Amino acid sequence: MDRFIIRGGRPLHGDITIGGAKNAALKLLVAGLLTSERLILSNVPRIDDIATMRDLLTQHGMTVEAVNGDDSTLCISGTITNTEAPYDIVSKMRASILVLGPLLARCGKARVSLPGGCAIGTRPVDMHLRGLEALGAEITLENGYINASAPNGLTGDRIALPFASVGATENLMMAATLAKGRTEILNAAREPEMADLAACLNAMGAQITGAGTGHIIIDGVEALHGAEHHIMADRIECGTYACAAAITGGDLRLIGGQAEHLGAVIRTLEEAGVEVSEEDNALRVRRTGPLRGVDIMTEPYPGFPTDMQAQFMTLLSVAEGASMLTETIFENRFMHVPELVRMGARINVHGSSAIIRGVKLLSGAPVMATDLRASFSLILAGLAAQGETTLSRVYHLDRGYEAVERKLAACGAQIERIRE
């Protein structure tokens, strides 16, 4: 398995281009199942999760091709010939569950393996299933698979989610585009990726209003057609590189970063003593003074994102004073703590909260990535540490970040990928 060698202590300066949003692109690829015509997506990130989703769509009979040889622009087309999403693909990535709604809406049936992905919590799919049942689907669980059928098609209904689940909102929104009548999703997830998905679906002929709010209305149509859509910038990648500027005492311009999608992250950075400003089509992030401890609680959007929790824990580990970080979304998302402690961080976990007492300096050490976001939190630690850090199991990182070593090295980081 590949590993990174990082030699810390160098402030980062320069420009980093933010890629297309992983959490939008995966769902937009799935939207290609909803039409028999071509869906062309641009600004697609070149990451392993996209390759996995391409494999899954191909297994359903679709063709996913690069346009003019450019993997950042993909064309999804073809005919669905298989409505089963098998374990060997679905187990690699949790977002695979999102083929369930589109397959059910288009074909009246689907057999989808229960999903995998990062081991950061149980993340049950019951909200997906109850919502689809409300639309008229018949669902059973057997031998690790979800068997769903709707021989008479789906029918709109009013669905109140007990929790503002991103995946359930997306699955139900896509399924409802082809349901008879009106569907309302109450307590819907409000992440910017919801609005991006709805914009693409509407370009395909769907009738969706309210995406990005807690109340989404979908008026079903008989069929969707082809479209072209440019994927939004990745707000989590942007926030992650903002932390890289902050922890190294550097100055980075994050090209394509959108402040409107990063409200809670920017406010927390500024509270910690980091300067953030908008410049043309970029966010400029720099730190000239000491970092200050802050308290953070993860919450559904527009609250502080759980996908930025690990990166900020690393940042706070070298801040002045004490901080408390509380995780409310996933119950198993502190697996990076022992690795940070190996590097000299002072962190104590009490249930869903971590107390972080800042130290002046971290020390390089061999560490191991445990999940996607934790991978980058350990890169951040290595960038700030004295000495050499070896990060293994970086395949987690490759699932969601493109060309990490190239982007960081171009801004002055000493980071090298050792391929094995």
Side-chain angles (χ1 to χ4, degrees):
M1 290 182 285
D2 291 4
R3 66 184 190 275
F4 281 154
I5 305 296
I6 306 162
R7 297 171 183 86
R10 297 168 64 92
L12 301 183
H13 293 89
D15 294 353
I16 291 178
T17 299
I18 303 304
K22 163 189 176 294
N23 288 336
L26 291 171
K27 294 62 181 283
L28 290 161
L29 281 166
V30 171
L33 292 170
L34 289 166
T35 179
S36 60
E37 300 181 14
R38 298 196 315 164
L39 174 62
I40 298 175
L41 302 174
S42 57
N43 200 32
V44 180
R46 298 178 180 92
I47 55 176
D48 286 356
D49 272 8
I50 292 295
T52 300
M53 186 60 80
R54 291 178 68 170
D55 289 343
L56 182 57
L57 293 179
T58 300
Q59 122 88 34
H60 288 309
M62 308 298 288
T63 298
V64 185
E65 294 180 319
V67 176
N68 297 323
D70 179 6
D71 278 342
S72 68
T73 302
L74 298 178
C75 176
I76 304 102
S77 61
T79 302
I80 298 172
T81 58
N82 179 13
T83 57
E84 178 172 324
Y87 172 77
D88 62 336
I89 298 178
V90 177
S91 62
K92 297 177 183 178
M93 182 180 63
R94 182 171 182 81
S96 304
I97 187 67
L98 291 170
V99 302
L100 179 60
L103 288 174
L104 197 56
R106 276 287 308 284
C107 305
K109 62 178 181 178
R111 187 170 189 262
V112 178
S113 172
L114 289 166
C118 286
I120 58 175
T122 55
R123 301 192 286 180
V125 298
D126 53 322
M127 277 186 281
H128 299 243
L129 306 187
R130 286 201 297 267
L132 291 171
E133 285 176 331
L135 298 180
E138 298 175 3
I139 295 176
T140 60
L141 299 180
E142 183 181 12
N143 301 325
Y145 276 80
I146 302 164
N147 297 307
S149 65
N152 298 317
L154 300 175
T155 303
D157 200 353
R158 189 177 173 90
I159 303 167
L161 296 177
F163 174 80
S165 164
V166 170
T169 300
E170 293 164 331
N171 223 339
L172 296 173
M173 182 162 59
M174 287 191 285
T177 59
L178 298 179
K180 301 181 185 72
R182 170 169 288 188
T183 299
E184 295 185 53
I185 305 174
L186 307 179
N187 196 30
R190 294 186 283 169
E191 276 75 359
E193 292 81 6
M194 302 301 111
D196 202 44
L197 175 59
C200 179
L201 292 171
N202 284 341
M204 297 167 68
Q207 296 182 15
I208 303 170
T209 58
T213 75
H215 185 190
I216 300 176
I217 298 173
I218 308 105
D219 289 307
V221 298
E222 288 190 7
L224 298 182
H225 52 70
E228 297 186 14
H229 180 77
H230 185 82
I231 298 169
M232 64 177 279
D234 195 316
R235 61 193 173 94
I236 303 301
E237 183 187 19
C238 186
T240 299
Y241 284 115
C243 286
I247 200 167
T248 64
D251 186 345
L252 293 178
R253 291 177 70 248
L254 307 177
I255 310 301
Q258 296 175 282
E260 63 188 286
H261 297 158
L262 286 163
V265 170
I266 291 174
R267 288 192 297 272
T268 306
L269 283 169
E270 291 174 339
E271 187 180 351
V274 182
E275 298 176 27
V276 183
S277 58
E278 294 184 75
E279 294 186 0
D280 298 326
N281 184 37
L283 285 181
R284 184 180 180 186
V285 183
R286 61 179 178 170
R287 176 174 68 85
T288 56
L291 286 167
R292 300 187 294 268
V294 297
D295 293 340
I296 299 172
M297 177 180 291
T298 63
E299 295 176 304
Y301 190 87
F304 189 90
T306 180
D307 278 354
M308 286 300 306
Q309 177 256 104
Q311 299 92 308
F312 267 80
M313 183 177 288
T314 300
L315 187 66
L316 296 175
S317 70
V318 292
E320 292 182 349
S323 306
M324 184 166 73
L325 205 161
T326 302
E327 174 61 61
T328 70
I329 309 298
F330 296 122
E331 73 278 7
N332 194 27
R333 209 164 196 182
F334 285 153
M335 291 187 293
H336 48 284
V337 170
E339 304 303 294
L340 289 174
V341 170
R342 284 174 51 78
M343 299 181 70
R346 297 177 60 200
I347 305 171
N348 296 103
V349 176
H350 303 277
S352 62
S353 295
I355 306 298
I356 306 132
R357 295 175 176 85
V359 298
K360 288 187 176 181
L361 198 62
L362 298 175
S363 299
V367 290
M368 184 178 295
T370 55
D371 63 69
L372 170 57
R373 304 306 174 184
S375 301
F376 216 117
S377 75
L378 297 173
I379 288 179
L380 294 174
L383 292 173
Q386 184 177 55
E388 183 175 282
T389 297
T390 302
L391 174 62
S392 59
R393 297 177 67 179
V394 299
Y395 60 84
H396 287 294
L397 186 87
D398 293 334
R399 286 187 48 224
Y401 291 96
E402 178 182 347
V404 169
E405 64 271 32
R406 177 176 59 78
K407 290 184 178 183
L408 289 172
C411 296
Q414 287 192 310
I415 179 171
E416 179 185 6
R417 180 188 288 258
I418 306 299
R419 297 191 180 276
E420 297 183 358

